Amino acid sequence: MGQYATSQTSMPRTSPILEMTTTSNDGGTHLLCSDCFVDEGLRLDAYKHGLEKEGDCPNCKSPNGRKLTKDHIKALAWRFFVSGTTVRGAYGGAPVIQFNEYHYGKSDISPSQWLKGDIKLIEDAAKIGFFHYGPRLWMVGEVEPLKDLEDPEKRSQIIARVLKEYPERTLAKDSAFYRLRVGPRQPADPSEYDSPPTELAGKGRLDSVSFPVLYGSQDIDICIHECRATAEDEVFVATLKPQRDMRLLDLTHVLKEDVTEFESLDMAIHMLFLARSHSYEISRAIALSAKDAGFDGVIYPSFFSLIRTGGRPFETAYGLSLRRFHPQAEEYGRAFTIPNFALFGRPIEKRSVSVHCINRLVLTQIGYVGHFGPVVY
Ligand SMILES: [Zn+2]
């Protein structure tokens, strides 16, 4: 049985994918520069990631652009054309465009007029071709256990599997975690940081009518995102500590399974917690069943995990899910998943959790980091 440390940092996790893409050897030859591009998004992205080196660009002869090696160009192509065309469905998501070396010289996409020359430069420099990608259907939610969860008739069978196959973790007595409140009426009153009153329950991902849930996290930045706090809000953060070991069902665990993505319970749960409010009916049913099975709460992946860690939804290599086939699948899953806690009932009132400290939180910066994509393809 695993335990959560008493102090977790909120440093961004390192990305196994970034490590994978930066360790190939492309000889370091500069092929293009940021000034080569007409498309403003490509130019800005190339400038951000390119190398500051003296000398003229071998392509456009500009001395001022940031230089790009073959690896830089492939990474630029991935961000702009693959990530930049990723479309989310009710569950899952998939890019509209992909590229690989087999499609070099056989590109079939129809970009804006101003992108045509840029695409030719990228394709010739990196020896790749862009094509319309027909996603494997599991990527857009064609996952049997997920479809069964959506079906009220079959839901309970899958939930029984969830309770059996996901591990139990202990949130150890005295391990600190946080709960944020935006505009509490009496910020110094510890009871402000309990779950909402029972009559108000039933609006969130895991609470139901007359079943309140206390949402908390060991990552303060995630709390800020989850609260949708803005710089104008009065925000307070309570540091909470369990008064006894709490039994939690860990839904952030990467299940080891011997099935395809189409049959994967792991993929179903992963997609469920990255989906929007249309999925709450299912996650609430899981929470109620976990309570009936004697758990004090669940650990679940934050909806904002991907934004916070820089992960990308449902990343694949050759149509296989990296979450499942990455050599370090477990580390991979963990690197892109931020665990949140949902503790059942009103644990502060019940004295199973105490308020250790309350602070005002002054937001000085709320940042978005992004990249560009094409408008038509
Ligand atoms: Zn150039």
Side-chain angles (χ1 to χ4, degrees):
M1 195 183 296
Q3 290 210 330
Y4 276 85
T6 47
S7 60
Q8 278 197 350
T9 66
S10 53
M11 293 290 289
R13 277 64 166 174
T14 53
S15 154
I17 287 301
L18 295 182
E19 282 158 27
M20 276 166 60
T21 51
T22 49
T23 49
S24 83
N25 48 42
D26 60 357
T29 313
H30 304 150
L31 301 171
L32 301 174
C33 81
S34 52
D35 283 352
C36 289
F37 301 113
V38 175
D39 185 277
E40 187 70 4
L42 271 178
R43 195 182 66 75
L44 291 170
D45 191 284
Y47 189 82
K48 185 169 156 191
H49 294 274
L51 301 167
E52 206 172 345
K53 292 272 174 158
E54 299 222 339
D56 296 347
C57 169
N59 175 59
C60 74
K61 313 300 176 204
S62 163
N64 302 320
R66 295 246 171 112
K67 309 295 189 291
L68 307 172
T69 66
K70 190 172 175 181
D71 280 356
H72 286 121
I73 295 164
K74 281 183 165 173
L76 175 71
W78 192 92
R79 283 189 299 273
F80 192 85
F81 291 100
V82 181
S83 179
T85 62
T86 294
V87 181
R88 296 192 56 164
Y91 293 98
V96 178
I97 293 177
Q98 263 293 1
F99 65 82
N100 63 26
E101 52 268 46
Y102 305 112
H103 283 77
Y104 178 52
K106 295 183 270 185
S107 188
D108 70 355
I109 65 172
S110 327
S112 311
Q113 196 56 40
W114 65 82
L115 255 177
K116 288 192 171 149
D118 292 351
I119 287 177
K120 181 104 181 53
L121 279 179
I122 290 172
E123 289 182 331
D124 288 341
K127 300 286 182 282
I128 53 172
F130 295 98
F131 58 98
H132 284 104
Y133 179 65
R136 295 189 61 194
L137 288 175
W138 68 263
M139 295 175 78
V140 286
E142 283 297 311
V143 177
E144 288 305 324
L146 181 57
K147 291 200 301 193
D148 289 350
L149 281 169
E150 288 183 88
D151 180 348
E153 304 265 302
K154 297 182 182 164
R155 186 172 296 157
S156 60
Q157 297 164 32
I158 303 297
I159 292 179
R161 280 189 60 197
V162 170
L163 292 176
K164 199 167 125 238
E165 296 181 35
Y166 280 84
E168 176 181 331
R169 305 254 183 237
T170 302
L171 177 61
K173 180 175 187 282
D174 289 331
S175 34
F177 65 100
Y178 307 110
R179 167 147 161 83
L180 242 73
R181 287 292 317 276
V182 176
R185 214 167 280 173
Q186 296 177 63
D189 178 356
S191 70
E192 290 276 3
Y193 302 88
D194 209 344
S195 313
T198 304
E199 59 273 19
L200 296 179
K203 299 191 181 76
R205 189 174 283 276
L206 292 152
D207 54 287
S208 309
V209 173
S210 21
F211 177 53
V213 162
L214 187 155
Y215 296 96
S217 176
Q218 289 179 321
D219 184 319
I220 286 198
D221 293 345
I222 276 290
C223 295
I224 296 170
H225 277 298
E226 302 265 5
C227 284
R228 275 87 163 162
T230 74
E232 285 159 29
D233 289 320
E234 282 286 325
V235 185
F236 294 85
V237 57
T239 305
L240 306 178
K241 291 188 174 180
Q243 292 307 290
R244 58 172 172 83
D245 288 357
M246 310 278 274
R247 291 180 59 209
L248 306 180
L249 180 67
D250 183 7
L251 300 173
T252 66
H253 182 77
V254 180
L255 285 184
K256 291 211 176 19
E257 300 173 296
D258 200 16
V259 296
T260 68
E261 289 89 349
F262 293 98
E263 303 155 307
S264 165
L265 181 62
D266 179 80
M267 187 53 66
I269 296 298
H270 180 58
M271 286 182 165
L272 177 68
F273 283 97
L274 291 176
R276 300 188 178 90
S277 57
H278 60 268
S279 68
Y280 288 5
E281 187 185 321
I282 301 170
S283 44
R284 288 167 184 165
I286 294 175
L288 280 167
S289 300
K291 176 186 160 267
D292 290 343
F295 287 100
D296 296 306
V298 299
I299 305 174
Y300 67 102
S302 167
F303 181 74
F304 294 97
S305 289
L306 295 169
I307 290 175
R308 176 90 177 87
T309 60
R312 299 181 276 257
F314 323 114
E315 194 147 31
T316 60
Y318 307 107
L320 299 174
S321 162
L322 281 176
R323 180 175 166 84
R324 308 188 58 237
F325 290 93
H326 192 279
Q328 282 105 31
E330 201 157 329
E331 288 84 348
Y332 178 83
R334 202 175 299 138
F336 289 126
T337 303
I338 290 177
N340 278 350
F341 304 135
L343 303 181
F344 302 149
R346 297 193 18 103
I348 293 176
E349 185 186 301
K350 287 274 171 345
R351 298 177 187 274
S352 52
V353 167
S354 70
V355 176
H356 171 73
C357 171
I358 300 167
N359 291 103
R360 186 174 175 214
L361 181 68
V362 182
L363 297 177
T364 53
Q365 193 185 0
I366 296 175
Y368 290 98
V369 180
H371 64 75
F372 302 93
V375 61
V376 289
Y377 24 86

